Amino acid sequence: MSDKALVALVGDDPDKLDWLSRQLELEGFLTVVWFDDHQTTEIAERIRPSAIVVYVGPYHELEPLQVLQDLRADAAVRDIPTVICTANLEFINEHAGEIESLDGTLLARPIDVFDLVQRLHDAISPQPDPNVVMDDAGTTGAINQEYPGNHP
């Protein structure tokens, strides 16, 4: 089993998805691509990707907001980080707040691969819990809010 994160790419532009897939693989991700946004939730349930990127190309055949709403409505996949990439400024201006409220990320095209990679790493990597420490032996334990013995 690979330690690489699996990123699912769904979109309406095969050439751009192929390019994006290659770029993400060069950055150390595994990728899977499909073109039917109506199957995103079903496919995500089967493959359990670490993140999903919805790429809306020039054909505008996808409904990215519906994809995000469907993912968030399904308990099995609602926690999968989702990034919507689009050049449609009207869509961005109209739906940015709703996408944020659904815990999605909006990225305007053209895609800055380094920005996308950083956002994926930030979304996929578990954030350290400030209440947990790891000792030299690799065991963890909760930090006690009071430190007995450190008080006079």
Side-chain angles (χ1 to χ4, degrees), residues 17-30:
L17 287 175
D18 182 54
W19 172 82
L20 187 55
S21 176
R22 286 194 317 265
Q23 296 302 311
L24 291 176
E25 288 172 359
L26 287 171
E27 294 293 331
F29 294 98
L30 296 174

Side-chain angles (χ1 to χ4, degrees), residues 29-48:
F29 294 98
L30 296 174
T31 62
V32 62
V33 177
W34 68 88
F35 304 103
D36 184 354
D37 59 331
H38 299 290
Q39 293 183 330
T40 300
T41 301
E42 178 185 324
I43 294 171
E45 285 179 10
R46 280 199 322 253
I47 66 171
R48 299 293 308 159

Side-chain angles (χ1 to χ4, degrees), residues 84-136:
I84 296 174
C85 301
T86 182
N88 184 336
L89 295 179
E90 182 179 331
F91 175 85
I92 291 170
N93 291 331
E94 196 172 309
H95 297 290
E98 187 172 0
I99 290 168
E100 185 177 330
S101 74
L102 291 168
D103 202 24
T105 300
L106 191 55
L107 188 61
R109 290 188 11 242
I111 294 175
D112 177 338
V113 174
F114 298 109
D115 186 22
L116 177 59
V117 166
Q118 186 60 54
R119 289 174 189 239
L120 290 172
H121 280 300
D122 290 347
I124 293 169
S125 300
Q127 300 302 312
D129 183 341
N131 295 316
V132 175
V133 294
M134 184 171 288
D135 63 18
D136 291 338

Side-chain angles (χ1 to χ4, degrees), residues 11-13 16 54-62 85-87 109:
D12 61 357
D13 186 335
K16 291 294 184 185
V54 180
Y55 182 91
V56 185
Y59 311 111
H60 303 290
E61 294 175 2
L62 293 181
C85 301
T86 182
R109 290 188 11 242

